[in-house]
């Protein structure tokens, strides 16, 4: 009768209603705290309880109104009111305002800390409404995604006059450059064209813009979803003026055309939003090629659920982040999303109790609460030098942008052995190759075997557009076998492949990208192989026997459930 006396809140009511045992309730409370999600959402994901049952019990217990989120069609009035980080942290969805009151959807109405913190940050009185946990989770993801898409909507209405007067400023990193002969770069048609290209790239969701001069042509290309696409061919005689305009905007020296230069641009979209561009100029045979990397701060706050990790892979990453020491390595080619994976981990760790420092080349996105250091080899500020300095400043967590040499590797390993959590990247093709790369650098086998705790190898595949993808019913069984679906233990009835089609909501059948991951925890067997001087093939075999999915397996599993296409899985992982 009093079996639930030591429980409180929602768990006690669920036990009293015989929906869950006291033992299972205690396990769920522990699991929810570990995963940092509400108890109701944990129960929906990990038990046979229905989200409606949980919500109805909670509404009856606490007298909180239960709402149907499908009836809330318009949340535009509260976009930007609550910081995205708070929405993720508390799983609280802002619905609407009435005067000075902000109404929030929660799956646990006893979460008073959420109400208080959001009240403090917004200056509004907060009031809770109850929503089903799974529907609330989906609604929060959609709400945050629509906030980002709102940038494109805000830019869509700009006319030519507005293009001339966009709020664009250089970010002065090196004291500025010479601005001789800048008059041609400030001509209205040139200004308007460059501004329009930048806006179009943001609206398309591009990651890079390429301005490329050739002998008889000049082209502008965007990289969207990892694929380059030509978008404009301005007259070739404008090459010098376009390069000058971009260099003026990013505060480079426009009189110097013989050596590469770096700069940054900040474009203010609204009073509260800005987009940064990292700019690089490169002298080529027929002029200067300028490449702009679009740095989207929202990508660092996506949350681990949005990155595409399988459940077991996500659990291994979160468990490694929860350790007080050790080394986590993220590996893959340039543009494979390593920085986003690292920033996501740092955001999870970023609390007032921890001292976090990063050494980056360059710092791409500013993370509040984290001490970020830009490398500057001209004055001797290298990864190794920054790392030495970090260790004299009582750090808890250290992130090194890339391990490039033995010196950096040795200092990083020493930090991981002396009570610090170290995150870093390497450029290798797979997780097993990362270990052998460290050994080839000269790191002693004992240090590698005992210090590295987790390796994540990754690629980015284009995500199929959910609005227009169509089932692929024309793939013979022998092709499925040749591609390797049956080798990874999948049955034919578990495989539902889709083809890209293309519509007005996507780019040739794809919209956005999803991570393909190989997450390997360093087991006792893998440590033994390293200590015995084993190679990457032996390590890969041990990882496979331990149940860790390699990149090919992860890509095929994503294709089998319709997240990406088989063609895309082959593009990013097939040898």
């Amino acid at each position: 009768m009093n079996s639930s006396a030591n429980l409180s809140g929602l768990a006690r009511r669920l036990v009293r209603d015989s929906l869950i045992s006291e033992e299972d309730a205690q396990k769920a409370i522990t699991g929810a705290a570990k995963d940092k999600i509400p108890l109701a959402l944990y129960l929906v994901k990990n038990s046979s309880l229905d989200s409606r049952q949980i919500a109805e019990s909670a509404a009856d217990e606490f007298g909180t109104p239960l709402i149907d989120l499908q009836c809330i069609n318009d949340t535009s009035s509260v976009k930007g009111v609550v910081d995205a980080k708070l929405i993720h942290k508390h799983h609280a969805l802002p619905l609407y305002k009435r005067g000075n009151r902000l109404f929030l959807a929660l799956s646990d109405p006893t979460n008073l800390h959420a109400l208080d913190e959001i009240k403090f940050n917004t200056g509004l009185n907060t009031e809770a409404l109850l929503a089903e946990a799974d529907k609330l989770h989906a609604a929060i993801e959609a709400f945050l995604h629509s906030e980002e898409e709102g940038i494109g909507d805000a830019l869509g209405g700009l006319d030519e006059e507005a293009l001339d007067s966009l709020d664009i400023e250089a970010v002065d990193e090196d004291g500025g450059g010479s601005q001789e002969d800048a008059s041609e770069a400030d001509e209205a048609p040139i200004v308007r064209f460059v501004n329009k290209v930048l806006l179009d790239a943001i609206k398309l969701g591009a990651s890079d813009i390429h301005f490329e001069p050739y002998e008889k042509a000049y082209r502008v290309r965007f990289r969207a979803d990892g694929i380059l696409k030509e978008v404009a061919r301005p007259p070739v005689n404008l090459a010098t003026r376009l390069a000058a305009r971009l260099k003026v905007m990013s505060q480079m020296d426009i009189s110097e055309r013989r050596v590469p230069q770096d700069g940054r641009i900040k474009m203010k979209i609204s009073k509260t939003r800005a987009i940064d561009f990292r700019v690089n100029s490169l002298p080529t045979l027929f002029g200067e090629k300028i490449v702009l990397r679009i740095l989207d701060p929202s990508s660092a706050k996506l949350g681990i659920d949005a990155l595409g990790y399988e459940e077991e892979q996500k659990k291994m990453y979160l468990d490694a982040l929860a350790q007080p020491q050790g080394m986590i390595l993220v590996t893959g080619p340039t543009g494979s999303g390593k920085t986003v994976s690292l920033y996501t981990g740092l955001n999870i760790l970023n609390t007032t109790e921890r001292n976090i420092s990063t050494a980056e080349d360059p710092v791409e996105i500013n993370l509040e609460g984290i001490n970020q250091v830009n490398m500057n080899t001209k004055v001797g500020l290298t990864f190794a030098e920054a790392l030495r300095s970090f260790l004299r400043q009582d750090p808890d967590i250290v992130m090194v942008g890339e391990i490039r040499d033995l010196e950096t590797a040795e200092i990083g390993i020493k930090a991981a052995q002396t009570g610090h959590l170290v995150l870093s990247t390497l450029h290798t093709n797979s997780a097993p190759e990362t270990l052998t790369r460290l050994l080839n650098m000269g790191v002693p086998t004992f240090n590698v075997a005992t210090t590295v705790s987790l390796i994540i190898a990754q690629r980015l595949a284009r995500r199929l557009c959910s609005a227009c993808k169509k089932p692929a019913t024309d793939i013979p069984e022998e092709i499925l076998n040749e591609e390797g679906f049956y080798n990874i233990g999948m049955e034919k009835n578990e495989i539902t492949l889709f083809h890209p089609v293309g519509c007005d909501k996507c780019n040739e059948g794809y919209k956005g990208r999803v991570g393909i991951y190989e997450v390997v925890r360093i087991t006792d067997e893998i440590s033994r192989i390293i200590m015995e001087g084993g190679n990457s093939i032996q390590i890969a075999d041990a990882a496979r026997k331990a149940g860790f999915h390699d990149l090919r397996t992860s890509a095929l599993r994503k294709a089998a459930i319709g997240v990406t296409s088989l063609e895309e899985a082959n593009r990013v992982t097939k040898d």
Side-chain angles (χ1 to χ4, degrees):
M1 183 174 176
N2 295 318
S3 61
S4 61
N6 58 339
L7 297 173
S8 61
L10 178 59
R12 181 177 58 194
R13 175 58 189 250
L14 295 175
V15 171
R16 197 191 311 154
D17 287 351
S18 300
L19 294 174
I20 189 172
S21 69
E22 183 179 2
E23 182 183 357
D24 288 342
Q26 292 285 12
K27 288 180 182 177
I29 291 169
T30 304
K34 185 177 180 182
D35 291 355
K36 296 182 179 178
I37 60 174
L39 175 63
L41 183 58
Y42 183 89
L43 287 168
V44 171
K45 287 184 172 183
N46 297 280
S47 75
S48 58
L49 281 181
D50 178 74
S51 63
R52 187 73 186 179
Q53 284 180 306
I54 298 171
E56 287 176 348
S57 290
D60 186 54
E61 175 73 8
F62 305 110
T64 307
L66 176 59
I67 61 163
D68 183 355
L69 290 175
Q70 293 179 336
C71 297
I72 308 293
N73 297 319
D74 184 14
T75 55
S76 58
S77 64
V78 288
K79 280 184 180 172
V81 172
V82 182
D83 187 83
K85 198 168 182 179
L86 285 178
I87 295 174
H88 265 303
K89 177 182 176 181
H90 295 300
H91 295 265
L93 177 66
L95 297 175
Y96 56 88
K97 281 197 307 179
R98 281 186 185 161
N100 196 41
R101 285 195 302 166
L102 176 65
F103 289 81
L104 300 160
L106 299 167
S107 59
D108 184 354
T110 65
N111 188 359
L112 301 179
H113 180 55
L115 297 174
D116 290 342
E117 190 169 355
I118 293 172
K119 177 181 179 179
F120 178 79
N121 278 270
T122 61
L124 299 169
N125 293 321
T126 51
E127 192 161 325
L129 298 173
L130 191 61
E132 294 175 51
D134 52 352
K135 291 179 181 176
L136 177 60
H137 180 70
I140 287 172
E141 294 299 319
F143 178 83
L144 294 174
H145 181 65
S146 69
E147 274 201 321
E148 298 309 320
E149 287 191 332
I151 296 175
D153 297 336
L155 298 177
L158 291 175
D159 55 20
E160 287 198 359
E161 185 178 337
L163 287 174
D164 291 336
S165 57
L166 270 175
D167 192 354
I168 297 175
E169 62 185 46
V171 178
D172 188 358
E173 295 182 328
D174 299 311
S178 169
Q179 298 303 323
E180 301 168 12
D181 304 321
S183 57
E184 283 192 336
D186 291 328
E187 292 178 3
I190 298 293
V191 170
R192 190 178 301 129
F193 175 77
V194 170
N195 289 355
K196 186 176 188 307
V197 168
L198 268 55
L199 293 175
D200 287 347
I202 294 171
K203 285 190 279 187
L204 186 65
S207 60
D208 302 89
I209 311 170
H210 295 244
F211 291 83
E212 302 170 311
Y214 298 97
E215 184 177 13
K216 297 180 179 178
Y218 190 97
R219 71 178 178 183
V220 180
R221 292 191 292 172
F222 293 164
R223 186 181 294 278
D225 297 335
I227 304 296
L228 277 168
K229 184 177 181 180
E230 185 176 309
V231 294
R233 275 191 174 259
V236 69
N237 62 349
L238 296 180
T240 304
R241 284 144 73 182
L242 287 170
R245 173 60 188 162
L246 290 163
K247 289 168 76 174
V248 166
M249 292 169 68
S250 50
Q251 218 162 47
M252 295 181 192
D253 184 349
I254 68 169
S255 65
E256 179 55 80
R257 301 185 180 95
R258 299 163 298 173
V259 296
Q261 296 184 64
D262 292 293
R264 286 174 84 105
I265 298 169
K266 183 185 288 289
M267 176 187 286
K268 292 185 178 178
I269 305 300
S270 67
K271 290 181 180 179
T272 58
R273 297 301 303 270
I275 298 288
D276 285 339
F277 298 83
R278 195 175 79 215
V279 188
N280 176 265
S281 71
L282 177 69
T284 66
L285 195 58
F286 300 106
E288 290 179 282
K289 175 178 178 176
I290 312 281
V291 176
L292 292 81
R293 166 67 61 90
I294 301 173
L295 306 176
D296 183 3
S298 65
S299 64
K301 301 177 182 178
L302 286 173
I304 195 167
D305 290 327
L307 298 186
Y309 286 95
E310 296 176 29
E311 281 301 315
E312 186 58 32
Q313 292 176 332
K314 182 178 76 171
K315 183 178 185 301
M316 284 191 284
Y317 189 19
L318 292 173
D319 286 347
L321 289 170
Q323 299 303 311
Q325 63 188 49
M327 180 176 278
I328 300 172
L329 296 173
V330 182
T331 182
T334 301
S336 60
K338 299 187 298 295
T339 301
V340 172
S341 282
L342 285 175
Y343 279 2
T344 300
L346 289 176
N347 268 319
I348 292 170
L349 296 168
N350 187 12
T351 63
T352 55
E353 295 84 18
R354 295 188 176 105
N355 177 17
I356 305 176
S357 296
T358 74
E360 304 173 59
D361 185 21
V363 172
E364 293 197 359
I365 295 170
N366 176 40
L367 298 175
E368 188 176 344
I370 293 177
N371 309 293
Q372 296 172 276
V373 179
N374 225 3
M375 296 303 92
N376 188 343
T377 54
K378 293 177 184 176
V379 298
L381 182 53
T382 61
F383 284 124
E385 194 58 41
L387 203 43
R388 282 194 196 94
S389 182
F390 289 167
L391 296 180
R392 294 192 286 269
Q393 294 208 345
D394 185 34
D396 297 300
I397 295 139
V398 170
M399 194 269 272
V400 184
E402 184 183 348
I403 294 177
R404 296 176 179 171
D405 51 47
L406 177 59
E407 185 181 18
T408 307
E410 285 182 330
I411 300 170
I413 282 173
K414 181 182 177 182
Q417 290 174 332
T418 54
H420 306 91
L421 181 63
V422 179
L423 291 81
S424 190
T425 72
L426 279 92
H427 286 283
T428 59
N429 291 323
S430 67
E433 288 176 31
T434 302
L435 294 167
T436 54
R437 172 74 181 278
L438 289 172
L439 296 173
N440 291 338
M441 278 185 182
V443 180
T445 55
F446 176 79
N447 284 344
V448 175
T450 59
T451 305
V452 179
S453 55
L454 190 78
I455 303 174
I456 301 171
Q458 64 182 79
R459 301 290 187 275
L460 287 177
R462 288 182 291 171
R463 189 189 290 269
L464 282 165
C465 173
S466 58
C468 66
K469 66 180 181 181
K470 70 172 184 177
T473 56
D474 55 345
I475 299 179
E477 195 164 338
E478 55 269 25
I479 296 295
L480 297 177
N481 189 33
E482 285 175 18
E483 293 291 352
F485 285 100
Y486 300 149
N487 295 338
I488 62 173
M490 299 197 79
E491 302 292 336
K492 188 175 180 181
N493 62 355
E494 296 178 292
I495 303 168
T496 307
L497 299 177
F498 287 82
H499 284 315
V501 177
C503 65
D504 58 357
K505 295 181 179 179
C506 66
N507 185 17
E508 297 177 353
Y510 297 96
K511 186 174 183 180
R513 290 190 286 179
V514 64
I516 306 293
Y517 300 96
E518 175 184 21
V519 181
V520 174
R521 188 179 67 250
I522 307 306
T523 62
D524 291 342
E525 176 63 15
I526 292 174
S527 292
R528 184 188 62 77
I529 294 170
I530 296 168
M531 293 291 290
E532 293 176 356
N535 58 35
S536 59
I537 296 173
Q538 293 170 296
I539 295 170
D541 187 50
R544 186 167 51 254
K545 287 178 180 175
F548 304 139
H549 295 159
D550 61 17
L551 286 166
R552 180 63 180 167
T553 300
S554 296
L556 291 177
R557 290 170 70 90
K558 288 283 193 306
I561 59 174
V563 173
T564 190
S565 65
L566 179 57
E567 298 92 333
E568 191 66 7
N570 286 338
R571 184 181 71 84
V572 298
T573 64
K574 201 165 187 180
D575 297 331

